[in-house]
Amino acid sequence: MKATELTENISKALGIQSLNPMQRQMLESKSPRIILTAPTGSGKTLAFTIRMLRNLKAPCAKVQAVVIAPSRELVIQIASVVRPVARGYKTVALYGGHSMADETNSLSPLPDIIIATPGRLLDHLQRANIEINSVNTLVLDEYDKSLELGFEGEMRKIVRRIGHVDNLILTSATTIDPLPDYLPLDNPEYINFTPQSSPKSRIQIVEVESPARDKLDTLIALLRSFKRGERSIVFVNHRESAERVYQRLIAEKLPATLYHGALDQHEREKAIDIFTNGSAPILVATDLAARGLDITDVANVIHYHLPVNEATWTHRNGRTARVDADGTVWIIRSDADNIAPYITPHRSYAPDPDLRPDLRPDMATIYISAGKKEKISKGNIAGFTAASAVTSPDEIGMIIVHDHHSLVAVPREKARPTAQALNAGRLKGKKIRASVVK
C-alpha cells in the first residue's frame, strides 16, 4: 500500500490528521527487521500497522500478514485499528472464546491479514482451515509476553509453518533479552521511543498507608474519595483476590465490575463494556487487564497488591495517562509490603474513612440479543432505542455491537422502562430480548 493512500485512510477512518514521530519513522523505515519499544498509549498499534500495510501487495485471497498478540483483548483492540485503515484488504481476528464456526466461515475466502492469539492460530492451522506459508510480514505485539516460556512451543510451530518471512516486526513497552533463536532477527533496526514519549511526567504516584494488613477498608475509603464517575482500575495479583475485593465493593454499593482470566469471554467483554460506557466505573482486575485494553480517560490505577516485577508495574500504570491525558497511580501499602526500588511515590495520602458519597453512575446498560451477525449496526440500535419513546436520542450513551448481541447505555433511571419498551418492539422487523445489565 502506498504511503499517500495509507495516510488518507488513517485520516478518513481514524480522524488522525498527522502522524506522530514514531509513526512517521515506522512509515519511512526500509528495514526488514524492526524492534519497536514505546509506552502504552503512544500510538504503537497504528505505528506497526502502518509498517505492515506498506509491505502488502494487492489483495490476492492469500494470507499476506499475520499479527500475533498474547491475549484476546489485545487481538480485538489491534483489529479495531487495522480494519478501518486497511480498507480493501480482508482482515480477520482469531482468539479463544470466539465462535469457532464464525471464525472458520470468516476464513473463506482467505483473508489478507490475520490477527490472532498463538493458541487459536495454531488451532486453525492444525485443523487445516488456513495456510500461512504465503505470509510476507509477521508482527509480534507485546513480544515480551508472547515469547515467554508458556508460549514457546506454540510460537516455534507457527514460525516454522510460516517459513521464510520478508518482514518481521516486534513491539512492546518493555524488552526481553535474549530473544529466542527460532526468530530470524539478523541485524534488526531498533526504534526506541520510550524516553521521548513516556507518560511518566503526566503520572502522579501516591502512597496510601493501610493500618491493617487486610487493605479492603483503605481501598473503599480511597474509592469514595474520588470524583463520581471517574474510571479507576484496581489491580490484584490473584483471581481469588479479585473475586473477594469485587464482592466487598458490591456489598458497599460501589459501582464495580470484575475482570480476570477465569471468566468466560462474554463476561470479560461485558465487564470492559460497562466499565468503558460509565455504567461501572470501577474495574477490579488481575494483570490480564494490564495489557491490550485501549480505554481512554482512566483517571486512577490502584495497586491493591504490589506488582510482582517492574514490567508489571510499567504495564499496569500504562492504563492511565494515555495519549496526552494525566493520571494518578495509587499504591496501597500495609506493614507487610516492601516497596521495590523502581517504585518512587511523589506524595502520600490518607483518605477519610467516614466519607459516604453517592457514587451511583448516571448511566446503566441495556443488553440487546442481536449483533453484527444479525446485520445490526450502531445506527439500528440508536434508532430502536429512541423509538422506545422512553429515552430520547440525546440521552443515548455509548453503543457497542458484538457478533450476536449489543449494549446501549441509557440514563440509569430510564433503563428498566426502556428495556421493557424494547421488548415490546421489533428491531429490523424481528423480536429481540432486552434486559438491564446488573
Side-chain angles (χ1 to χ4, degrees):
M1 186 181 286
K2 294 180 179 179
T4 53
E5 184 182 358
L6 257 175
T7 52
E8 286 175 7
N9 285 0
I10 291 167
S11 176
K12 290 177 182 177
L14 304 179
I16 297 173
Q17 302 307 317
S18 61
L19 302 179
N20 67 29
M22 174 182 61
Q23 292 159 353
R24 286 198 300 272
Q25 186 168 342
M26 288 290 282
L27 177 65
E28 296 163 2
S29 173
K30 300 292 193 298
S31 175
R33 303 286 184 265
I34 297 174
I35 298 178
L36 170 64
T37 308
T40 55
S42 60
K44 190 164 68 264
T45 302
L46 182 57
F48 75 68
T49 298
I50 289 168
R51 187 68 185 83
M52 175 182 70
L53 294 178
R54 288 283 282 134
N55 300 329
L56 293 191
K57 300 175 183 177
C60 58
K62 290 183 179 179
V63 182
Q64 298 190 57
V66 169
V67 182
I68 296 177
S71 72
R72 65 190 77 181
E73 288 75 17
L74 190 50
V75 166
I76 293 168
Q77 186 264 319
I78 293 169
S80 72
V81 174
V82 173
R83 280 197 178 105
V85 178
R87 290 191 300 173
Y89 291 91
K90 182 178 178 182
T91 302
V92 300
L94 310 174
Y95 52 91
H98 200 206
S99 164
M100 179 59 81
D102 285 347
E103 286 188 356
T104 302
N105 290 337
S106 74
L107 294 171
S108 181
L110 282 173
D112 300 284
I113 303 166
I114 289 176
I115 305 164
T117 54
R120 193 57 162 230
L121 177 58
L122 192 58
D123 194 355
H124 281 287
L125 289 169
Q126 291 170 339
R127 292 169 186 248
N129 292 336
I130 45 173
E131 280 297 336
I132 56 174
N133 53 13
S134 57
V135 167
N136 130 298
T137 300
L138 173 62
V139 180
L140 305 184
D141 192 28
E142 302 286 12
Y143 74 87
D144 59 323
K145 184 70 175 178
S146 60
L147 295 179
E148 283 181 346
L149 190 60
F151 289 109
E152 182 180 9
E154 295 170 341
M155 292 300 301
R156 279 185 180 274
K157 291 176 183 176
I158 291 168
V159 171
R160 191 184 310 125
R161 292 288 287 266
I162 292 175
H164 173 76
V165 63
D166 292 335
N167 299 281
L168 178 61
I169 303 168
L170 276 60
T171 81
S172 185
T174 56
T175 60
I176 60 170
D177 189 55
L179 292 165
D181 57 7
Y182 59 82
L183 286 175
L185 268 172
D186 44 304
N187 299 316
E189 177 185 0
Y190 288 89
I191 299 178
N192 187 348
F193 271 80
T194 300
Q196 297 96 319
S197 56
S198 173
K200 288 182 180 179
S201 61
R202 302 193 307 274
I203 291 178
Q204 275 283 309
I205 301 173
V206 184
E207 184 175 358
V208 180
E209 185 176 349
S210 172
R213 293 196 172 193
D214 184 338
K215 300 183 277 190
L216 268 172
D217 288 341
T218 302
L219 172 64
I220 290 165
L222 177 63
L223 290 168
R224 285 174 172 159
S225 73
F226 295 160
K227 294 178 182 177
R228 186 176 180 215
E230 272 191 346
R231 289 197 187 112
S232 305
I233 303 179
V234 180
F235 279 108
V236 299
N237 288 346
H238 310 286
R239 296 170 182 174
E240 297 78 7
S241 302
E243 293 279 355
R244 176 174 174 266
V245 170
Y246 167 72
Q247 292 297 338
R248 176 65 187 280
L249 298 189
I250 293 301
E252 297 288 338
K253 301 191 183 309
L254 289 166
T257 188
L258 179 65
Y259 186 86
H260 60 66
L263 301 173
D264 65 32
Q265 177 65 12
H266 179 75
E267 292 173 312
R268 283 156 64 174
E269 284 180 350
K270 183 185 77 172
I272 298 305
D273 290 343
I274 63 176
F275 177 64
T276 303
N277 72 12
S279 296
I282 301 169
L283 182 70
V284 180
T286 60
D287 287 320
L288 182 65
R291 300 173 185 252
L293 298 182
D294 190 13
I295 301 169
T296 59
D297 302 326
V298 175
N300 305 290
V301 165
I302 303 168
H303 297 269
Y304 180 78
H305 290 148
L306 296 185
V308 295
N309 54 42
E310 188 171 2
T312 302
W313 166 256
T314 299
H315 285 287
R316 283 182 178 183
N317 295 348
R319 299 308 97 200
T320 190
R322 296 176 73 81
V323 191
D324 295 321
D326 296 330
T328 306
V329 169
W330 306 85
I331 305 156
I332 302 180
R333 179 186 182 184
S334 75
D335 60 10
D337 295 315
N338 293 314
I339 300 292
Y342 53 81
I343 299 175
T344 308
H346 297 119
R347 59 185 175 90
S348 59
Y349 176 71
D352 183 351
D354 296 323
L355 279 178
R356 293 293 186 276
D358 181 3
L359 294 178
R360 290 178 297 176
D362 295 328
M363 306 297 280
T365 301
I366 295 176
Y367 168 93
I368 295 173
S369 62
K372 295 174 186 174
K373 299 298 183 181
E374 290 75 37
K375 309 298 184 185
I376 300 301
S377 68
K378 289 184 180 181
N380 296 142
I381 298 295
F384 184 50
T385 306
S388 70
V390 178
T391 299
S392 62
D394 61 335
E395 292 178 317
I396 296 172
M398 183 179 292
I399 297 171
I400 301 169
V401 181
H402 292 287
D403 282 352
H404 296 290
H405 73 278
S406 304
L407 300 173
V408 55
V410 300
R412 182 165 49 86
E413 68 277 6
K414 294 187 176 183
R416 194 168 298 280
T418 299
Q420 291 171 345
L422 296 183
N423 276 317
R426 290 180 178 271
L427 177 57
K428 295 186 74 173
K430 295 182 179 180
K431 290 288 291 181
I432 55 90
R433 290 179 293 107
S435 58
V436 180
V437 174
K438 295 182 179 179

